[in-house]
Amino acid sequence: MTIIRQMSLFGIQQLYEMEPTHRYDAIISAINLDKICYSVTKKSHLGAPEELNYAAMVISVFVRYVERIPTVKDLVKRLNEDIAFKLNCGFLVSDNTPSEASYSRLITKLEESNILEEVQEQVITQAVAEGFITDDTVAIDATHFEARDQAPPKEEKPKTEPKKRGRKSKEEREKWLAEQAEKEANLTLFEKKMEVQLDAPLDELRSEVPQEPKWGIKKNSEGKNVFWFGYKGHLAVSTTSQYILQTLFSSGSLNDGKAAIPLLKGIQERLSLPFLRYEVMDAGYDYEPIYKQVYRMGQHSVIAYNKRNESEPIGFDKHFAPTCFREHSYRYDSYDAKYETLKYTRPKECVDCPLANEGICQKVYKVKITTDLRKYTAPARGSKAWKNIFKRRTAVERVNAYLKEYFQLNNVRYRTGKRAKVHFDLVTLIYNASKLAADRINAMLNQGQQAA
């Protein structure tokens, strides 16, 4: 009887059950610690000497998220009381334990640089190079988390004078148009219409993202409105390997759809993913500019349709597949990538239809996806292939739950949006580093089993 050897499945949960020393080494080794330390340490020998061990401080900040230590105050207390923990973080016995103020200055240095985003991309690039990311599908979604402080009291708006009835005079209209043009020119990229983002550079898009805490609103699973004061984390996740490929931190008031194009451009310009084919999103991202951006990337959109006061299409079903004279839907057959054409074949009801042999029913129906990128996707809406790909969107929801339950995304301890972004970047970086560490251990175990 042939013995089938079961491959090892070593995940993040098993990683966190390892001994602290091995666990810290596995996670920290996935991060370019030298680059972070260089960005936060003094570059010149001039001035007052630095007595703190910044490399160990950076490691201890990471370990705080690994060990789920809620505050920096608790971290300092444990460093003072647990010598083994202090050594595992990289401190020497002779090193003084940093104060809370020292950690605050470290966070300020991380806030002023872009180093965490750069190291994050290095982790993803390394995972791609080692063959852990070979996904053909990316899922995009947002998750909300509350700010440290309560919302400020609502300011009462001054009463405005009632508008003058009737048509404006020529002078009044010209003045009003000039005011509207000036107002439009002063808007940021995220306050303007979404179409503007298509031709905007990625760096400019990311630099203008609003980051201060604001009121946000969304519908829960029961269809009721949920309000919170804080932020949103926007993620682009590979659906099979479940790495966070791109992130965006914003105010809670930002529309989810307005974060999609920066995430897509980040994937296109900063990562090399040759197997990527599909971008999966829910109905909150059903905007034409997002379809155009995915099309420019040479990929396909699998986005739930969000009907907006639109009349029923004549001659088509709810998935925009053509219908016959008796209103039976044509069946999706295939997609021709060369001509960007969807092919539909006769409905199955045509077998018994008396009009089948009358020459008035079309046997094959073809439509180019460029006719309407929002309605015609590859694979076609409503098809079994489309539904199977859309199911992969649960990966990003799973990652959102991991970040909140196990990596303290909900535990924001900072008062400003810029410092809260450091918290968000640290959480996503630790998650990706833990994922890479688990995949490396899993690969070593599988190699050992194959060698045996």
Side-chain angles (χ1 to χ4, degrees), residues 29 161 226 259 359 449:
S29 64
E161 296 182 1
V226 177
Q449 286 187 355

Short mmCIF file of all heavy atoms in Angstrom, two decimals, residues 29 161 226 259 359 449:
data_model
loop_
_atom_site.label_atom_id
_atom_site.label_comp_id
_atom_site.label_asym_id
_atom_site.label_seq_id
_atom_site.Cartn_x
_atom_site.Cartn_y
_atom_site.Cartn_z
N SER A 29 13.40 38.88 11.07
CA SER A 29 14.28 38.59 9.94
C SER A 29 13.60 38.88 8.61
O SER A 29 14.28 39.03 7.59
CB SER A 29 14.71 37.11 9.98
OG SER A 29 13.58 36.26 9.83
N GLU A 161 -28.93 83.53 4.39
CA GLU A 161 -30.08 84.25 3.87
C GLU A 161 -30.77 83.42 2.79
O GLU A 161 -30.11 82.71 2.02
CB GLU A 161 -29.62 85.59 3.27
CG GLU A 161 -29.01 86.53 4.29
CD GLU A 161 -28.61 87.84 3.65
OE1 GLU A 161 -28.85 87.99 2.42
OE2 GLU A 161 -28.10 88.71 4.36
N VAL A 226 -24.20 52.37 10.47
CA VAL A 226 -23.27 52.32 11.59
C VAL A 226 -22.37 53.55 11.49
O VAL A 226 -21.79 53.83 10.44
CB VAL A 226 -22.41 51.04 11.56
CG1 VAL A 226 -21.40 51.04 12.70
CG2 VAL A 226 -23.31 49.81 11.65
N ALA A 259 -10.54 55.31 -2.82
CA ALA A 259 -9.24 54.73 -2.45
C ALA A 259 -8.82 53.62 -3.40
O ALA A 259 -7.67 53.17 -3.33
CB ALA A 259 -9.30 54.19 -1.03
N GLY A 359 -35.77 31.21 -38.05
CA GLY A 359 -34.74 32.10 -38.57
C GLY A 359 -34.74 33.48 -37.95
O GLY A 359 -34.09 34.40 -38.47
N GLN A 449 10.39 17.07 4.70
CA GLN A 449 9.58 15.88 4.50
C GLN A 449 9.90 15.22 3.16
O GLN A 449 9.96 13.99 3.06
CB GLN A 449 8.09 16.24 4.55
CG GLN A 449 7.58 16.53 5.95
CD GLN A 449 6.06 16.70 5.97
OE1 GLN A 449 5.43 16.70 4.93
NE2 GLN A 449 5.52 16.87 7.16
#
